[in-house]
Amino acid sequence: MPFKHYVSGINLGLGGLNGSRNKSNLEPDELLIASNVTFEGDIIGKEGGATKYNSTAVPTAGIILGGYDFWPNISTQRMIVYTNGGYLLKDSGNGLFSTTLKTGLNISKIPVFVTGGEEALASSRKLFLFNGYDPVQVLAADGVSTTNIATPPADWSSTNQPNCGCIHEGRLWGALGHRVYFSKTTNHEDFTAGSGATDGGSIVLWPGVGNEIKQILSFKGVLLVFKEPRGIFLIDTSSTAIADWKVMQLNGSIGVASSHSAVQIDDDILFMDSTGSVQLFSGIDNFNITGANLSQGKQMNVYVQDNVNLAELEHVKSVFYPAKREVHFAVPQTSITYNNARLVIDLNRPSQPRWRWSPRDVCESLWLRKDSQEIPRIVCGDNTGFVWLLDQDARSKAGAAYLGVFQTPHMDFGNLDPLLASRQKLGCELEILAEPRDGVTLYVDVYWDNEFRHTINMSLNPQGTALGTFILGTSVLGSDQLLSIRRKRILGSGRRLSLRFYNEEIAGDFAIARAYVRFKVGNERISHS
């Protein structure tokens, strides 16, 4: 009896990374590994490269604890960084960071930057710095030094200082312990309390819940207050009378991991809680907020437990990267005490968030900076005094190669026919649809029943002859802008097949749309011929 041929199509990466320890539960379009890759345009490719913003380390070097893209006016761009030497530095676009705004700041606290000011037409734009230890620092316009905030609350004294802040309803807000404070609407540096509609004041929020407030966000007309390790609150400030503002507890069981854990996306909020799980606020309806643990859908809470140093979650930073519809969480890998990886959620398919992992960069700090087209692009600060521009077109890191790799589940092809799940398969051929790339080779490791069998090399060079140069009847039309087909033989046999795709070449970009596996069904013996 002749062997029957089967062909299985695989939508590579459409399901993203799945962190489940039960690898037999994964769907064919999910991934065991998704490291330094991207899912842009529903094609899995190598993540954009990285270049140094500054060619020499910032003065005083060390870890860059935080950074910010500050525009003192609509035509002037400045980059501000905070180092673990206690320095606050400003750069004017040449990468030298030659302006020292402040020295002697706390060397271990997490900085939070907030743009405020411009309370009136003639008022300057200001940058406020909160770190929970030093007096709130204020940079007015394009100044060369910062000053202590002018009229803080009496509670903000010595090293008892607010650790986070935001602008909400025309006021500057800060948080200390279990209390939030708000400035006058007419002056963001004046927190003088009063009963008038424009006066400052403070609100206490459930001192018995959580350790302290870690982050505050203005969202859809309300102020969200997050504590660590548990406690989420809402303050309704819609009334013009301060006495009528309403405070309610939303959740007493979960909270945030750090002062940069929560981030607003298009019309929602994502945050990493104190256990490393990513939570989602799915909307506000008359101030009833329903939450969902986004990590549980793909068992990414398990992945975080296995790959992240949970004792150092206070270092977590997060940003929403609108140009790619992604949320990036900078986290410390196991046994590391600073952020050296990014956990990324691709939100381009709203019904199916896709996860990936990027361990290429040290990213103790993470922020957005407008490029020459005024599109905010992702930026990180490392542990040696360098700022890096991420998501660059060139697939290299400062000219060096990096590994982009993803791996399919151990597929038994029961999705084609349930009877195939327990049958022996004989490998025949692997076919991929890929965008052409000059001089790039894609490598594919073949695993049968979790044992490595061999490696396939696939050249991604454009095939055929370019349009306008081919000879009818003899040349194959070139495919430099189209998906091209690559086929290679698969050796070995087994019940379950897994394919590991990777490239670690300088400028070794790849973009793969789909794969097809052709196999035959053999006998019931498990062998690896």
Side-chain angles (χ1 to χ4, degrees):
M1 180 178 177
F3 288 113
K4 181 178 179 180
H5 288 85
Y6 285 87
V7 177
S8 176
I10 307 170
N11 292 318
L12 294 170
L14 285 188
L17 181 64
N18 188 313
S20 175
R21 295 193 183 111
N22 185 350
K23 305 306 180 185
S24 65
N25 276 345
L26 272 62
E27 298 296 329
D29 66 350
E30 295 178 326
L31 299 172
L32 295 173
I33 299 173
S35 181
N36 301 329
V37 295
T38 178
F39 305 124
E40 293 176 47
D42 286 343
I43 293 179
I44 190 165
K46 202 170 187 179
E47 182 181 32
T51 60
K52 287 181 178 178
Y53 174 79
N54 48 321
S55 57
T56 58
V58 300
T60 76
I63 298 175
I64 296 179
L65 296 173
Y68 196 76
D69 184 34
F70 180 54
W71 291 72
N73 54 63
I74 61 174
S75 59
T76 305
Q77 184 178 28
R78 302 290 185 244
M79 186 181 288
I80 313 296
V81 297
Y82 183 125
T83 76
N84 71 337
Y87 286 76
L88 191 65
L89 306 170
K90 183 177 78 171
D91 178 72
S92 299
N94 55 14
L96 298 178
F97 293 93
S98 55
T99 301
T100 301
L101 298 173
K102 185 74 175 181
T103 62
L105 297 170
N106 186 275
I107 64 174
S108 61
K109 295 295 183 179
I110 307 299
V112 174
F113 295 95
V114 177
T115 296
E118 296 186 304
E119 303 91 341
L121 186 61
S123 300
S124 299
R125 186 174 298 179
K126 296 176 180 178
L127 180 65
F128 297 89
L129 167 66
F130 299 79
N131 72 1
Y133 186 90
D134 299 296
V136 176
Q137 294 300 294
V138 184
L139 176 63
D142 197 18
V144 295
S145 63
T146 62
T147 59
N148 294 348
I149 195 167
T151 312
D155 295 351
W156 298 3
S157 61
S158 184
T159 58
N160 295 313
Q161 300 293 335
N163 61 2
C164 61
C166 74
I167 296 293
H168 172 67
E169 296 290 317
R171 305 172 187 268
L172 178 66
W173 293 67
L176 173 61
H178 297 276
R179 187 177 289 268
V180 292
Y181 303 77
F182 51 92
S183 75
K184 292 184 175 181
T185 58
T186 55
N187 186 348
H188 290 166
E189 293 195 60
D190 189 347
F191 284 75
T192 302
S195 58
T198 64
D199 286 329
S202 66
I203 302 171
V204 64
L205 291 94
W206 278 260
V209 177
N211 294 332
E212 64 175 341
I213 297 169
K214 276 291 188 178
Q215 190 169 3
I216 56 178
L217 285 177
S218 180
F219 182 63
K220 292 188 175 183
V222 300
L223 186 75
L224 295 179
V225 180
F226 299 85
K227 289 187 181 182
E228 182 277 325
R230 61 188 183 92
I232 302 175
F233 303 84
L234 177 152
I235 304 176
D236 175 11
T237 58
S238 58
S239 174
T240 56
I242 294 176
D244 292 334
W245 288 355
K246 300 177 182 178
V247 181
M248 63 187 75
Q249 180 177 332
L250 300 178
N251 194 298
S253 301
I254 59 175
V256 294
S258 78
S259 55
H260 289 276
S261 284
V263 59
Q264 183 173 345
I265 55 177
D266 292 326
D267 196 35
D268 219 320
I269 288 176
L270 287 177
F271 68 94
M272 181 173 286
D273 68 22
S274 56
T275 71
S277 289
V278 176
Q279 305 277 349
L280 171 70
F281 281 143
S282 56
I284 295 182
D285 181 16
N286 296 325
F287 307 130
N288 293 317
I289 296 183
T290 57
N293 190 320
L294 204 64
S295 295
Q296 289 180 336
K298 296 288 184 178
Q299 295 291 299
M300 291 305 295
N301 52 331
V302 176
Y303 189 90
V304 167
Q305 292 169 15
D306 291 343
N307 293 276
V308 173
N309 186 351
L310 299 180
E312 298 291 339
L313 287 182
E314 64 177 353
H315 291 275
V316 168
K317 311 294 194 307
S318 64
V319 296
F320 175 51
Y321 184 23
K324 296 294 175 69
R325 324 314 297 172
E326 294 176 335
V327 174
H328 292 240
F329 290 95
V331 294
Q333 294 188 72
T334 305
S335 78
I336 304 298
T337 58
Y338 52 83
N339 297 331
N340 65 336
R342 280 173 290 123
L343 185 64
V344 184
I345 310 173
D346 181 299
L347 300 173
N348 285 287
R349 298 169 68 90
S351 62
Q352 188 180 38
R354 291 173 293 186
W355 300 74
R356 62 183 179 88
W357 178 248
S358 180
R360 182 192 63 193
D361 306 299
V362 171
C363 44
E364 175 59 20
S365 48
L366 201 62
W367 67 97
L368 297 177
R369 176 181 183 270
K370 288 183 180 180
D371 64 12
S372 59
Q373 297 176 315
E374 297 201 0
I375 297 175
R377 300 291 183 185
I378 194 163
V379 176
C380 73
D382 70 10
N383 59 335
T384 58
F386 288 96
V387 174
W388 293 84
L389 307 178
L390 305 183
D391 194 30
Q392 301 297 294
D393 290 338
R395 265 46 177 188
S396 63
K397 180 172 181 177
Y402 59 92
L403 176 66
V405 55
F406 64 96
Q407 185 173 349
T408 70
H410 297 280
M411 302 171 289
D412 59 21
F413 302 104
N415 57 306
L416 298 180
D417 181 346
L419 295 177
L420 287 175
S422 60
R423 299 294 299 274
Q424 188 83 352
K425 292 90 181 174
L426 308 176
C428 295
E429 188 177 69
L430 171 66
E431 175 184 313
I432 65 169
L433 300 181
E435 293 182 359
R437 295 289 187 268
D438 281 316
V440 175
T441 300
L442 180 69
Y443 299 89
V444 186
D445 288 345
V446 177
Y447 292 85
W448 285 106
D449 296 333
N450 207 28
E451 291 188 14
F452 171 74
R453 299 304 300 148
H454 70 115
T455 298
I456 299 172
N457 300 341
M458 287 189 166
S459 170
L460 300 184
N461 281 327
Q463 297 173 327
T465 306
L467 184 63
T469 63
F470 72 99
I471 301 172
L472 187 62
T474 61
S475 298
V476 179
L477 184 61
S479 56
D480 56 328
Q481 299 298 326
L482 304 173
L483 293 176
S484 59
I485 300 172
R486 316 289 163 139
R487 295 189 182 96
K488 284 292 182 76
R489 183 183 176 190
I490 294 181
L491 303 178
S493 63
R495 291 190 177 183
R496 295 175 179 83
L497 173 69
S498 178
L499 301 169
R500 180 177 179 267
F501 298 78
Y502 59 98
N503 174 281
E504 194 173 4
E505 301 172 350
I506 297 175
D509 185 20
F510 58 80
I512 307 171
R514 192 171 171 83
Y516 295 89
V517 174
R518 183 167 173 258
F519 61 92
K520 299 177 182 179
V521 176
N523 56 40
E524 297 305 308
R525 293 176 299 171
I526 298 179
S527 63
H528 302 283
S529 58

